[in-house]
Amino acid sequence: MRRIVIGGNWKMQVTSTTEAVSIADDIAQGLSTLSSVHVFIAPSFTELYSVNKAVKETQLKLAGQNMYYHEKGAFTGQISPLSLANLVDYVILGHSEPRRIFGETDEFIRQKLLKALEIGLIPVLCLGETAKEREEGNTKAILHQQLAGSLKGLQIEKMKMIILAYEPVWAINNKFLNPDTEIRPATPIEANETHTIIRDWLKNEFGAPVAEEISIIYGGSMNAQNAKELLALDQIDGGLIGGASLSAEKFLPIIRTAAHLLENRSTDYRWESNTLRFDE
Ligand code: PEP
């Protein structure tokens, strides 16, 4: 079943446990227990334990921002998938920041993805091209390279567990990634094109029925204002949100938009109930 997923990537932005728990509490309170949208947040590793305690009984799920692929051993500074699995349901892998700032390769990401699947974490696999790659006409080639590098040959049952996040690097609100270009969200036309490229690759590799089941979410400067037109596209199954996930005030309206649009989708991945509670 194609899931509609809204994730909040907190990166290294919330550095106090009190603040992290308070934001998470506020977000969790805005969701009913029967939410039609799958919602997660990814606080810093050091805040996960406390946030987990705070939201355990709620609809709000947690994600790790990354992980290593060995379970245990002499790997200073790494996060074991086993430690993570005690606290979260999802793990973000292949985000442009570790890819482009810290040099993570497709093969390295693939190892992590396989481990995440093995231990029952839902991988949110990010991919996306830089402004330069797009200008040079290489968007499709880069996406194919990233998809093949991490997913080629994966068993179909495993593939169905994965959520893909298309995040054009140039749209991510990060000056380190985009020192010389204007940062802006993808237009619905751009996002639709690239999501279609991704789904077509999945169709070729895994067949149309599997490709149709996989959620492909969009990330890059998404906010309450632009969420409506982006999430309205049938090819976009949710969002991965950085800056606008750092408060309930900014994040909940995006979830509300997703829930509302979901109600109007005609396809069979619509969920039964949709009882998100929001304050206007
Ligand atoms: C991200 O880094 O995953 C992201 C989408 O960030 P932002 O929404 O701040 O552009």
Side-chain angles (χ1 to χ4, degrees), residues 9 11 95 97 126 167 171-174 183 218-222 240-244:
N9 177 9
K11 313 190 182 193
H95 189 278
E97 285 151 13
C126 305
E167 296 208 303
I172 296 179
N173 203 353
N174 183 325
I183 299 169
Y218 167 83
S221 297
M222 190 185 266
L240 185 55
I241 292 119

Side-chain angles (χ1 to χ4, degrees), residues 87-156:
L87 300 169
V88 307
D89 292 289
Y90 297 82
V91 60
I92 299 172
L93 297 174
H95 189 278
S96 288
E97 285 151 13
R99 270 187 202 266
R100 309 274 180 169
I101 301 175
F102 303 115
E104 287 198 3
T105 62
D106 288 322
E107 178 52 27
F108 188 52
I109 295 161
R110 175 182 169 79
Q111 298 289 339
K112 298 198 260 190
L113 185 110
L114 292 175
K115 178 54 78 175
L117 290 166
E118 183 191 319
I119 64 167
L121 287 173
I122 302 171
V124 181
L125 175 67
C126 305
L127 31 134
E129 80 288 355
T130 61
K132 187 164 178 283
E133 288 161 351
R134 174 166 278 259
E135 271 161 33
E136 291 170 352
N138 290 329
T139 301
K140 191 172 181 177
I142 292 292
L143 294 177
H144 280 185
Q145 182 187 311
Q146 293 174 345
L147 287 161
S150 312
L151 301 176
K152 202 156 182 59
L154 205 70
Q155 287 167 1
I156 282 178

Side-chain angles (χ1 to χ4, degrees), residues 222-271:
M222 190 185 266
N223 57 34
Q225 285 71 47
N226 59 37
K228 268 195 190 95
E229 53 178 14
L230 286 163
L231 295 174
L233 299 169
D234 268 358
Q235 285 301 327
I236 300 190
D237 306 309
L240 185 55
I241 292 119
S245 70
L246 294 169
S247 74
E249 206 186 355
K250 291 183 181 160
F251 197 40
L252 289 173
I254 302 175
I255 302 164
R256 174 177 52 185
T257 299
H260 179 69
L261 291 166
L262 185 55
E263 268 188 341
N264 300 319
R265 277 198 175 187
S266 52
T267 34
D268 62 0
Y269 47 83
R270 176 146 58 111
W271 283 60

